[in-house]
Amino acid sequence: MTNPLFYAKIILFGEYGMIEDSQGLVVPYSFYKGALKFSDLNSEFELKSNQHLQKYSDFLADLNLSDDFQLNIESFKKDISNGLFFDSNIPQGYGVGSSGALVAAIFERYSMNKLNPENISKENLKKLKAVFGEMESYFHGKSSGMDPLICYMNLPILIENKENLDRVAIPEGEEGKGAIFLIDSGMTGETGPMIQIFFEKMKTEGFRKTLKEEFIRYNNACIEAFLKKDMNPFFRNLKKLSHWAYEHFRPMIPESIFNIWKKGLDSNAYYLKLCGSGGGGYILGFTKDYEKAEKMLDGFNKEVIYRF
């Protein structure tokens, strides 16, 4: 049996905004990955994973997926009884798609109609995203299906709006001074409660208005400038986006990150934004001068994901 690897994902832009029809830009991140494997389940990790798969298979058995996207649950359950587990180094609760990679791996192995990610039509991409949303709802209560889709396609995806998404080319990275990087907040976050906070905020007209008129405008402008590699408007809008999040997404910003978030805005040395739902896990950083930002962020674990 081949064990295809499924990579983690990073939402560069569009966290929360995608719920309200903003654009989104999501990229695979190969540093973390997972694959379905068999073992005699001697280790606690393997045994726990196998037990989780048992529970998940019961959930999937009750899902009413459309005919084109049926899963062979019988085969899945048989494999589980033979020691199937998900071997993954993707950290959970870090906003990089641990459940998305698992869903993608299960779909790839057990879907009745095999798809080729390289030539899926735009229409089928949309349907697949909906199917993945149903499959992933087991983990988060409500899912857009975007995480598993990115993990399954292993390609950058531009979400144009709720209805349309397509593959997109990211400008080639180069060894410049600038960088996009991850900062480890030192704590895990839970997606469910964070999304709950967001929906509570959406009940107030003021928040809805500023989300639509400011957040979504800055977010979409960042995506457009980034894809064109137009770095001046990119950083101009990024600062506005980071400032907006500092004002309006406070409950989602881990306490350990508060001061350095403000420090970046005040110094213009770097700008931070949420990576996924926030509350813990990773935070995304953007800087024109990584060496300078790195010194200012001394004491935090950082991983560079893109240079320019």
Side-chain angles (χ1 to χ4, degrees), residues 22-35:
S22 81
Q23 289 184 351
L25 182 60
V26 193
V27 296
Y29 183 42
S30 60
F31 187 78
Y32 293 119
K33 50 189 104 42

Side-chain angles (χ1 to χ4, degrees), residues 174-192:
E174 55 191 61
E175 279 306 309
K177 287 176 78 175
I180 302 175
F181 56 97
L182 296 172
I183 299 175
D184 188 342
S185 69
M187 56 191 281
T188 56
E190 280 186 56
T191 300

Side-chain angles (χ1 to χ4, degrees), residues 32 91-98 183-189 275 280-283:
Y32 293 119
Q92 293 184 355
Y94 263 67
V96 288
S98 52
I183 299 175
D184 188 342
S185 69
M187 56 191 281
T188 56
C275 180
Y282 286 119
I283 296 293

Side-chain angles (χ1 to χ4, degrees), residues 112-136:
M112 305 278 217
N113 299 327
K114 294 300 174 195
L115 299 169
N116 179 354
E118 282 171 30
N119 58 20
I120 294 176
S121 68
K122 205 168 169 181
E123 191 51 37
N124 266 348
L125 265 184
K126 203 158 78 173
K127 287 179 185 169
L128 191 54
K129 178 174 172 280
V131 167
F132 282 153
E134 290 181 63
M135 289 175 69
E136 202 188 27

Side-chain angles (χ1 to χ4, degrees), residues 125-261:
L125 265 184
K126 203 158 78 173
K127 287 179 185 169
L128 191 54
K129 178 174 172 280
V131 167
F132 282 153
E134 290 181 63
M135 289 175 69
E136 202 188 27
S137 65
Y138 172 82
F139 301 97
H140 300 316
K142 186 176 162 73
S143 164
S144 68
M146 186 49 65
D147 285 11
L149 186 69
I150 300 298
C151 298
Y152 180 73
M153 298 294 292
N154 195 28
L155 292 164
I157 299 277
L158 173 67
I159 297 94
E160 292 152 18
N161 51 44
K162 275 183 185 168
E163 292 303 312
N164 294 302
L165 62 146
D166 210 352
R167 287 154 282 217
V168 70
I170 296 288
E172 286 229 357
E174 55 191 61
E175 279 306 309
K177 287 176 78 175
I180 302 175
F181 56 97
L182 296 172
I183 299 175
D184 188 342
S185 69
M187 56 191 281
T188 56
E190 280 186 56
T191 300
M194 294 296 112
I195 288 177
Q196 204 52 50
I197 291 169
F198 176 75
F199 281 123
E200 279 302 312
K201 281 177 160 289
M202 284 299 287
K203 289 177 183 173
T204 64
E205 195 186 334
F207 180 78
R208 283 200 309 274
K209 192 170 186 293
T210 180
L211 184 88
K212 284 193 165 68
E213 291 177 5
E214 295 177 55
F215 176 86
I216 289 178
R217 184 155 52 97
Y218 306 147
N219 176 77
N220 293 2
C222 281
I223 292 173
E224 187 185 349
F226 179 69
L227 291 177
K228 287 179 181 168
K229 220 169 178 184
D230 203 346
M231 286 310 182
N232 285 334
F234 176 68
F235 274 96
R236 199 164 57 241
N237 282 288
L238 189 59
K239 179 171 186 177
K240 291 174 183 171
L241 190 63
S242 181
H243 186 266
W244 189 95
Y246 185 74
E247 294 292 322
H248 298 282
F249 278 162
R250 275 195 184 208
M252 291 82 156
I253 299 173
E255 269 182 48
S256 59
I257 299 294
F258 246 16
N259 291 339
I260 59 165
W261 194 301

